[in-house]
Amino acid sequence: MNVFPDFDGLSGISELREVAGALLMFVLVVAVLMLIVSAICWAIGAANGNYQVATKGRIGVFVALGGAILAGAGVAWLNWLVTIGGQL
């Protein structure tokens, strides 16, 4: 009995990479816009002595940076999994 793995079973990898790339672009555009708006709010709040606006702006900046980092890490993880799957 000859049993071999089906190497054609991963036929949709190129589409998966395209979808992941499109999602990464969308997340990064939103993160950059959020970073700009939050930084402006942080600066205006700090300049006018409004600590509530400054705090919310600071939190927004950190959330935008964290979202961009997680999106990049997610794509790197997906590429690693696809590479590992192709080697099995």
Side-chain angles (χ1 to χ4, degrees):
M1 177 179 352
N2 295 328
V3 178
F4 294 103
D6 182 17
F7 292 111
D8 295 328
L10 298 173
S11 63
I13 294 299
S14 62
E15 288 85 11
L16 181 64
R17 286 182 193 243
E18 288 180 22
V19 168
L23 287 175
L24 174 66
M25 190 244 354
F26 178 72
V27 168
L28 290 179
V29 167
V30 169
V32 167
L33 292 175
M34 184 178 169
L35 180 69
I36 291 169
V37 170
S38 297
I40 290 171
C41 289
W42 186 4
I44 290 173
N48 292 328
N50 191 343
Y51 69 92
Q52 291 175 340
V53 173
T55 302
K56 298 231 185 229
R58 186 176 335 132
I59 290 171
V61 166
F62 292 140
V63 167
L65 290 174
I69 290 169
L70 286 176
V75 170
W77 185 51
L78 178 69
N79 288 335
W80 179 73
L81 288 175
V82 167
T83 304
I84 294 295
Q87 294 175 358
L88 295 178

Coordinates of all heavy atoms in Angstrom, one line a residue:
M1 N 0.9 -1.2 0.0 CA 0.0 0.0 0.0 C 0.9 1.2 0.0 O 1.8 1.4 0.8 CB -0.9 0.0 1.2 CG -1.7 1.2 1.3 SD -2.9 1.4 2.6 CE -3.0 0.0 3.6
N2 N 0.7 2.1 -0.9 CA 1.5 3.4 -1.0 C 0.6 4.6 -0.6 O -0.4 4.8 -1.2 CB 1.9 3.6 -2.5 CG 2.9 2.5 -2.9 OD1 3.7 2.0 -2.1 ND2 2.9 2.2 -4.2
V3 N 1.1 5.2 0.4 CA 0.3 6.4 0.9 C 1.3 7.6 0.9 O 2.4 7.6 1.4 CB -0.1 6.2 2.4 CG1 -0.8 7.4 2.9 CG2 -1.0 5.0 2.5
F4 N 0.8 8.6 0.1 CA 1.6 9.8 0.0 C 0.8 11.0 0.4 O -0.4 11.0 0.2 CB 2.1 10.0 -1.5 CG 3.1 8.9 -1.9 CD1 2.7 7.9 -2.7 CD2 4.4 8.9 -1.4 CE1 3.6 6.9 -3.1 CE2 5.3 8.0 -1.8 CZ 4.9 6.9 -2.6
P5 N 1.4 12.1 0.9 CA 0.6 13.3 1.2 C 0.1 14.0 -0.1 O 0.7 13.9 -1.1 CB 1.6 14.2 2.0 CG 3.0 13.7 1.5 CD 2.8 12.3 1.2
D6 N -1.0 14.7 0.1 CA -1.6 15.4 -1.0 C -1.0 16.8 -1.0 O -1.4 17.7 -0.3 CB -3.1 15.5 -0.9 CG -3.7 16.2 -2.1 OD1 -3.1 16.4 -3.1 OD2 -4.9 16.5 -1.9
F7 N 0.0 17.1 -1.9 CA 0.6 18.4 -1.9 C -0.2 19.5 -2.6 O 0.0 20.7 -2.6 CB 2.0 18.3 -2.6 CG 3.0 17.6 -1.8 CD1 3.5 16.4 -2.2 CD2 3.5 18.1 -0.6 CE1 4.4 15.6 -1.5 CE2 4.4 17.4 0.2 CZ 4.8 16.1 -0.3
D8 N -1.3 19.0 -3.3 CA -2.2 20.0 -4.0 C -3.3 20.4 -3.1 O -4.2 21.1 -3.5 CB -2.7 19.4 -5.3 CG -1.6 19.1 -6.3 OD1 -0.7 19.9 -6.3 OD2 -1.8 18.1 -7.1
G9 N -3.3 19.9 -1.9 CA -4.4 20.2 -0.9 C -4.4 21.7 -0.5 O -5.4 22.2 0.0
L10 N -3.3 22.4 -0.6 CA -3.2 23.8 -0.2 C -3.3 24.7 -1.5 O -2.4 25.5 -1.7 CB -1.9 24.1 0.6 CG -1.7 23.3 1.9 CD1 -0.4 23.5 2.4 CD2 -2.8 23.8 2.8
S11 N -4.3 24.6 -2.2 CA -4.4 25.3 -3.5 C -4.8 26.8 -3.3 O -4.5 27.6 -4.1 CB -5.4 24.7 -4.4 OG -6.7 24.7 -3.8
G12 N -5.3 27.2 -2.2 CA -5.8 28.5 -2.0 C -4.8 29.4 -1.2 O -5.2 30.5 -0.7
I13 N -3.6 29.1 -1.2 CA -2.6 29.8 -0.4 C -2.4 31.2 -1.0 O -2.3 32.2 -0.2 CB -1.3 29.1 -0.3 CG1 -1.4 27.8 0.5 CG2 -0.2 30.0 0.3 CD1 -1.9 28.1 1.9
S14 N -2.4 31.4 -2.3 CA -2.2 32.7 -2.9 C -3.4 33.6 -2.6 O -3.2 34.8 -2.3 CB -2.0 32.6 -4.4 OG -3.1 32.0 -5.0
E15 N -4.6 33.1 -2.6 CA -5.8 33.9 -2.2 C -5.7 34.3 -0.7 O -6.1 35.4 -0.4 CB -7.1 33.2 -2.5 CG -7.4 33.1 -4.0 CD -6.7 31.9 -4.6 OE1 -6.1 31.0 -3.9 OE2 -6.7 31.8 -5.9
L16 N -5.3 33.4 0.1 CA -5.2 33.6 1.5 C -4.1 34.8 1.8 O -4.4 35.7 2.6 CB -4.8 32.4 2.3 CG -4.6 32.5 3.8 CD1 -6.0 32.8 4.4 CD2 -4.1 31.2 4.4
R17 N -3.0 34.7 1.1 CA -2.0 35.8 1.2 C -2.6 37.1 0.8 O -2.3 38.2 1.3 CB -0.8 35.4 0.5 CG 0.0 34.4 1.2 CD 1.3 34.1 0.4 NE 1.9 32.8 0.9 CZ 3.1 32.8 1.5 NH1 3.8 33.9 1.6 NH2 3.6 31.6 1.9
E18 N -3.4 37.1 -0.3 CA -4.0 38.4 -0.8 C -4.9 39.0 0.2 O -5.0 40.2 0.4 CB -4.6 38.2 -2.2 CG -3.7 37.9 -3.3 CD -4.4 37.7 -4.6 OE1 -5.6 38.1 -4.7 OE2 -3.8 37.1 -5.5
V19 N -5.8 38.1 0.8 CA -6.7 38.6 1.8 C -6.0 39.1 3.0 O -6.4 40.2 3.5 CB -7.7 37.4 2.1 CG1 -8.5 37.8 3.4 CG2 -8.6 37.1 1.0
A20 N -5.0 38.4 3.4 CA -4.2 38.9 4.6 C -3.5 40.2 4.3 O -3.5 41.1 5.2 CB -3.2 37.8 5.0
G21 N -3.0 40.4 3.1 CA -2.4 41.6 2.7 C -3.4 42.8 2.7 O -3.1 43.9 3.1
A22 N -4.6 42.5 2.2 CA -5.6 43.5 2.1 C -6.1 43.9 3.5 O -6.3 45.1 3.8 CB -6.8 43.1 1.3
L23 N -6.3 42.9 4.4 CA -6.7 43.2 5.8 C -5.6 44.0 6.5 O -5.9 44.9 7.3 CB -7.0 41.9 6.5 CG -8.3 41.2 6.1 CD1 -8.4 39.9 6.9 CD2 -9.5 42.1 6.4
L24 N -4.3 43.7 6.3 CA -3.2 44.4 6.9 C -3.2 45.9 6.4 O -3.0 46.8 7.2 CB -1.9 43.7 6.5 CG -0.6 44.5 7.0 CD1 -0.6 44.5 8.5 CD2 0.6 43.9 6.5
M25 N -3.4 46.1 5.1 CA -3.5 47.5 4.6 C -4.6 48.2 5.3 O -4.4 49.4 5.7 CB -3.6 47.4 3.1 CG -3.5 48.8 2.5 SD -4.9 49.6 1.6 CE -6.2 48.5 1.6
F26 N -5.8 47.6 5.4 CA -6.9 48.3 6.0 C -6.6 48.6 7.5 O -6.9 49.8 7.9 CB -8.2 47.4 5.9 CG -9.4 48.0 6.5 CD1 -10.0 49.0 6.0 CD2 -9.9 47.5 7.7 CE1 -11.2 49.6 6.6 CE2 -11.0 48.0 8.3 CZ -11.6 49.1 7.7
V27 N -6.1 47.7 8.2 CA -5.8 47.9 9.6 C -4.7 49.0 9.8 O -4.8 49.8 10.7 CB -5.4 46.6 10.3 CG1 -4.8 46.8 11.7 CG2 -6.5 45.6 10.4
L28 N -3.7 49.0 9.0 CA -2.7 50.0 9.1 C -3.1 51.4 8.7 O -2.7 52.4 9.3 CB -1.5 49.6 8.2 CG -0.7 48.4 8.8 CD1 0.5 48.1 7.8 CD2 -0.2 48.6 10.2
V29 N -4.0 51.5 7.7 CA -4.6 52.8 7.4 C -5.4 53.3 8.5 O -5.3 54.5 8.9 CB -5.4 52.7 6.1 CG1 -6.3 54.0 5.9 CG2 -4.5 52.5 4.9
V30 N -6.2 52.5 9.1 CA -7.0 52.9 10.3 C -6.2 53.3 11.5 O -6.4 54.3 12.2 CB -8.1 51.8 10.7 CG1 -8.7 52.1 12.0 CG2 -9.1 51.7 9.6
A31 N -5.1 52.5 11.7 CA -4.2 52.8 12.8 C -3.5 54.1 12.6 O -3.3 54.9 13.6 CB -3.2 51.6 13.0
V32 N -3.1 54.4 11.4 CA -2.4 55.7 11.1 C -3.3 56.9 11.3 O -3.0 57.9 11.9 CB -1.8 55.7 9.7 CG1 -1.3 57.1 9.3 CG2 -0.6 54.8 9.7
L33 N -4.6 56.7 10.8 CA -5.5 57.8 11.0 C -5.9 58.0 12.5 O -6.0 59.1 13.0 CB -6.8 57.5 10.2 CG -6.7 57.6 8.7 CD1 -8.0 57.1 8.0 CD2 -6.3 58.9 8.2
M34 N -6.0 56.9 13.2 CA -6.3 56.9 14.6 C -5.1 57.6 15.4 O -5.3 58.4 16.3 CB -6.5 55.5 15.2 CG -6.9 55.5 16.6 SD -7.2 53.8 17.1 CE -7.3 53.9 18.8
L35 N -3.9 57.3 15.0 CA -2.7 57.8 15.6 C -2.7 59.3 15.4 O -2.4 60.1 16.3 CB -1.4 57.2 15.0 CG -0.1 57.7 15.5 CD1 0.1 57.2 17.0 CD2 1.0 57.1 14.7
I36 N -3.0 59.8 14.2 CA -3.0 61.2 13.9 C -4.0 62.0 14.7 O -3.7 63.0 15.4 CB -3.2 61.5 12.4 CG1 -1.9 61.0 11.6 CG2 -3.4 62.9 12.1 CD1 -2.1 60.9 10.1
V37 N -5.2 61.5 14.7 CA -6.3 62.1 15.5 C -6.0 62.1 17.0 O -6.2 63.1 17.6 CB -7.7 61.4 15.1 CG1 -8.8 61.9 16.1 CG2 -8.0 61.7 13.7
S38 N -5.6 61.0 17.5 CA -5.3 60.9 18.9 C -4.1 61.8 19.3 O -4.1 62.4 20.4 CB -5.0 59.4 19.3 OG -6.1 58.6 19.0
A39 N -3.1 61.9 18.5 CA -2.0 62.8 18.8 C -2.4 64.2 18.8 O -2.0 65.0 19.6 CB -0.8 62.5 17.8
I40 N -3.3 64.6 17.9 CA -3.8 66.0 17.8 C -4.6 66.2 19.1 O -4.5 67.3 19.7 CB -4.6 66.2 16.6 CG1 -3.7 66.2 15.4 CG2 -5.4 67.5 16.7 CD1 -4.5 66.3 14.0
C41 N -5.5 65.3 19.5 CA -6.2 65.5 20.7 C -5.3 65.6 22.0 O -5.6 66.4 22.9 CB -7.2 64.3 20.9 SG -8.6 64.3 19.7
W42 N -4.3 64.7 22.0 CA -3.4 64.7 23.1 C -2.7 66.1 23.2 O -2.5 66.7 24.2 CB -2.4 63.6 22.9 CG -1.4 63.4 24.0 CD1 -1.3 64.0 25.2 CD2 -0.3 62.5 24.1 NE1 -0.3 63.6 26.0 CE2 0.3 62.6 25.3 CE3 0.1 61.5 23.1 CZ2 1.4 61.8 25.6 CZ3 1.2 60.7 23.5 CH2 1.8 60.9 24.7
A43 N -2.2 66.6 22.0 CA -1.5 67.9 22.0 C -2.5 69.1 22.4 O -2.1 69.9 23.2 CB -0.9 68.1 20.6
I44 N -3.7 69.1 21.9 CA -4.6 70.2 22.2 C -5.0 70.1 23.7 O -5.1 71.1 24.4 CB -5.8 70.1 21.3 CG1 -5.4 70.5 19.9 CG2 -7.0 71.0 21.8 CD1 -6.5 70.3 18.9
G45 N -5.3 68.9 24.2 CA -5.6 68.7 25.6 C -4.5 69.1 26.5 O -4.7 69.8 27.6
A46 N -3.3 68.8 26.2 CA -2.1 69.1 27.0 C -1.9 70.6 27.0 O -1.5 71.2 28.0 CB -0.9 68.4 26.6
A47 N -2.0 71.2 25.8 CA -1.8 72.7 25.7 C -2.8 73.5 26.4 O -2.5 74.6 26.9 CB -1.8 73.1 24.2
N48 N -4.0 73.1 26.5 CA -5.1 73.8 27.1 C -5.3 73.4 28.6 O -6.2 74.0 29.2 CB -6.4 73.7 26.4 CG -6.4 74.3 25.0 OD1 -5.7 75.3 24.9 ND2 -7.0 73.8 24.1
G49 N -4.6 72.5 29.1 CA -4.7 72.0 30.5 C -5.9 71.1 30.7 O -6.3 71.0 31.9
N50 N -6.5 70.6 29.7 CA -7.6 69.6 29.8 C -7.0 68.2 29.9 O -6.7 67.6 28.9 CB -8.5 69.8 28.6 CG -9.8 69.1 28.8 OD1 -9.9 68.2 29.7 ND2 -10.8 69.4 28.0
Y51 N -6.9 67.7 31.1 CA -6.2 66.4 31.3 C -7.0 65.3 30.8 O -6.5 64.2 30.5 CB -5.8 66.3 32.8 CG -7.0 66.1 33.7 CD1 -7.5 64.8 34.0 CD2 -7.7 67.1 34.3 CE1 -8.6 64.6 34.8 CE2 -8.8 66.9 35.1 CZ -9.2 65.7 35.4 OH -10.3 65.5 36.2
Q52 N -8.4 65.4 30.8 CA -9.2 64.3 30.3 C -9.0 64.1 28.8 O -8.8 62.9 28.4 CB -10.7 64.6 30.6 CG -11.0 64.6 32.1 CD -12.4 65.0 32.3 OE1 -13.1 65.7 31.5 NE2 -12.9 64.7 33.5
V53 N -8.9 65.1 28.1 CA -8.7 65.0 26.6 C -7.3 64.5 26.3 O -7.1 63.7 25.5 CB -9.0 66.3 25.9 CG1 -8.6 66.2 24.4 CG2 -10.5 66.7 26.0
A54 N -6.3 65.0 27.1 CA -5.0 64.6 27.0 C -4.8 63.1 27.3 O -4.1 62.4 26.6 CB -4.0 65.4 27.8
T55 N -5.5 62.6 28.3 CA -5.4 61.2 28.7 C -6.0 60.4 27.6 O -5.5 59.3 27.3 CB -6.1 61.0 30.0 OG1 -5.4 61.8 31.0 CG2 -6.0 59.6 30.5
K56 N -7.2 60.8 27.1 CA -7.9 60.0 26.1 C -7.0 60.0 24.8 O -7.0 58.9 24.1 CB -9.2 60.5 25.8 CG -10.1 60.5 27.0 CD -11.4 59.8 26.7 CE -12.3 59.9 27.9 NZ -12.9 58.7 28.3
G57 N -6.4 61.1 24.5 CA -5.5 61.1 23.3 C -4.3 60.2 23.5 O -3.9 59.5 22.5
R58 N -3.7 60.2 24.7 CA -2.6 59.4 24.9 C -3.0 57.9 24.8 O -2.2 57.1 24.2 CB -2.0 59.7 26.3 CG -0.7 58.9 26.6 CD -0.2 59.3 28.0 NE -0.6 60.6 28.4 CZ -1.0 60.9 29.7 NH1 -1.1 59.9 30.5 NH2 -1.4 62.1 30.0
I59 N -4.1 57.5 25.4 CA -4.6 56.1 25.3 C -4.8 55.8 23.8 O -4.5 54.7 23.4 CB -5.8 56.0 26.1 CG1 -5.5 56.0 27.6 CG2 -6.5 54.6 25.8 CD1 -6.7 56.1 28.5
G60 N -5.4 56.7 23.1 CA -5.6 56.4 21.6 C -4.3 56.2 20.9 O -4.3 55.3 20.0
V61 N -3.3 57.0 21.2 CA -2.0 56.8 20.5 C -1.4 55.4 20.8 O -1.0 54.7 20.0 CB -1.0 57.9 21.0 CG1 0.4 57.5 20.6 CG2 -1.4 59.2 20.4
F62 N -1.5 55.0 22.1 CA -1.0 53.7 22.5 C -1.8 52.5 21.9 O -1.2 51.5 21.5 CB -0.9 53.5 24.0 CG 0.1 54.4 24.6 CD1 -0.1 55.1 25.8 CD2 1.3 54.7 24.0 CE1 0.8 55.9 26.4 CE2 2.3 55.5 24.6 CZ 2.0 56.1 25.8
V63 N -3.1 52.7 21.8 CA -3.9 51.7 21.2 C -3.6 51.6 19.7 O -3.6 50.5 19.1 CB -5.4 52.0 21.4 CG1 -6.3 51.1 20.5 CG2 -5.8 51.8 22.9
A64 N -3.5 52.7 19.0 CA -3.1 52.7 17.6 C -1.8 52.0 17.3 O -1.7 51.2 16.4 CB -3.1 54.1 17.0
L65 N -0.8 52.3 18.1 CA 0.5 51.6 18.0 C 0.4 50.1 18.3 O 1.0 49.3 17.5 CB 1.5 52.3 18.9 CG 2.0 53.7 18.5 CD1 2.9 54.3 19.6 CD2 2.6 53.7 17.2
G66 N -0.4 49.8 19.3 CA -0.5 48.4 19.6 C -1.3 47.6 18.5 O -0.9 46.5 18.2
G67 N -2.3 48.3 17.9 CA -3.0 47.6 16.8 C -2.1 47.4 15.6 O -2.2 46.4 14.9
A68 N -1.3 48.4 15.3 CA -0.4 48.2 14.2 C 0.6 47.1 14.4 O 0.9 46.3 13.5 CB 0.3 49.5 13.9
I69 N 1.1 47.0 15.6 CA 2.1 46.0 16.0 C 1.4 44.6 15.9 O 2.0 43.7 15.4 CB 2.7 46.3 17.4 CG1 3.6 47.5 17.3 CG2 3.4 45.1 17.9 CD1 4.1 48.0 18.6
L70 N 0.2 44.5 16.4 CA -0.5 43.2 16.4 C -0.8 42.8 15.0 O -0.8 41.6 14.6 CB -1.7 43.3 17.3 CG -1.5 43.2 18.8 CD1 -2.8 43.4 19.5 CD2 -0.8 41.9 19.2
A71 N -1.2 43.8 14.1 CA -1.5 43.4 12.7 C -0.3 42.9 12.0 O -0.3 41.9 11.3 CB -2.0 44.7 12.0
G72 N 0.9 43.6 12.2 CA 2.1 43.1 11.6 C 2.5 41.7 12.1 O 3.0 40.9 11.4
A73 N 2.4 41.5 13.4 CA 2.7 40.2 14.0 C 1.8 39.1 13.5 O 2.2 38.0 13.3 CB 2.6 40.3 15.5
G74 N 0.5 39.5 13.3 CA -0.5 38.5 12.8 C -0.1 38.0 11.4 O -0.2 36.8 11.1
V75 N 0.3 39.0 10.5 CA 0.7 38.6 9.2 C 1.9 37.8 9.2 O 2.1 36.8 8.4 CB 0.8 39.8 8.3 CG1 1.4 39.5 7.0 CG2 -0.6 40.5 8.1
A76 N 2.9 38.1 10.0 CA 4.1 37.3 10.1 C 3.8 35.9 10.6 O 4.4 35.0 10.1 CB 5.1 38.0 11.0
W77 N 2.9 35.8 11.6 CA 2.5 34.5 12.1 C 1.8 33.7 11.0 O 2.1 32.5 10.8 CB 1.6 34.7 13.3 CG 1.3 33.4 14.0 CD1 2.1 32.4 14.4 CD2 -0.1 33.0 14.3 NE1 1.4 31.4 15.0 CE2 0.1 31.7 15.0 CE3 -1.3 33.5 14.2 CZ2 -1.0 31.0 15.4 CZ3 -2.4 32.8 14.7 CH2 -2.3 31.6 15.3
L78 N 0.9 34.3 10.2 CA 0.2 33.6 9.1 C 1.2 33.1 8.1 O 1.1 32.0 7.6 CB -0.8 34.5 8.5 CG -1.6 33.9 7.3 CD1 -2.5 32.8 7.8 CD2 -2.3 35.0 6.6
N79 N 2.2 34.0 7.7 CA 3.2 33.5 6.8 C 4.0 32.4 7.3 O 4.4 31.5 6.5 CB 4.1 34.7 6.4 CG 3.4 35.7 5.5 OD1 2.5 35.4 4.8 ND2 3.9 36.9 5.6
W80 N 4.3 32.4 8.6 CA 5.1 31.3 9.2 C 4.3 30.0 9.1 O 4.8 29.0 8.8 CB 5.5 31.7 10.6 CG 6.2 30.6 11.3 CD1 7.5 30.2 11.1 CD2 5.7 29.7 12.3 NE1 7.9 29.2 12.0 CE2 6.8 28.9 12.7 CE3 4.5 29.6 13.0 CZ2 6.6 27.9 13.7 CZ3 4.3 28.7 13.9 CH2 5.4 27.8 14.3
L81 N 3.0 30.1 9.5 CA 2.2 28.9 9.4 C 2.0 28.3 8.0 O 2.0 27.1 7.8 CB 0.8 29.2 10.0 CG 0.7 29.4 11.5 CD1 -0.7 29.9 11.9 CD2 1.1 28.2 12.3
V82 N 1.9 29.2 7.0 CA 1.8 28.8 5.6 C 3.1 28.1 5.2 O 3.1 27.0 4.6 CB 1.4 29.9 4.7 CG1 1.6 29.6 3.3 CG2 0.0 30.4 4.9
T83 N 4.2 28.6 5.6 CA 5.5 28.0 5.3 C 5.7 26.6 6.0 O 6.1 25.7 5.4 CB 6.7 28.9 5.8 OG1 6.5 30.2 5.1 CG2 8.0 28.3 5.4
I84 N 5.3 26.6 7.2 CA 5.3 25.3 7.9 C 4.4 24.3 7.3 O 4.7 23.1 7.1 CB 5.0 25.5 9.4 CG1 6.1 26.3 10.1 CG2 4.8 24.1 10.2 CD1 7.4 25.6 10.2
G85 N 3.2 24.7 6.9 CA 2.2 23.8 6.3 C 2.7 23.3 4.9 O 2.4 22.2 4.6
G86 N 3.5 24.1 4.2 CA 4.0 23.7 2.9 C 5.1 22.6 3.1 O 5.4 21.9 2.2
Q87 N 5.8 22.6 4.3 CA 6.9 21.7 4.5 C 6.4 20.3 5.0 O 7.1 19.4 5.0 CB 7.9 22.3 5.5 CG 8.6 23.5 5.0 CD 9.4 24.1 6.1 OE1 9.5 23.7 7.2 NE2 10.2 25.2 5.7
L88 N 5.2 20.3 5.5 CA 4.7 19.0 6.1 C 4.3 18.0 5.0 O 3.9 18.2 4.0 CB 3.5 19.3 7.0 CG 3.8 20.1 8.2 CD1 2.5 20.3 9.0 CD2 4.8 19.4 9.1

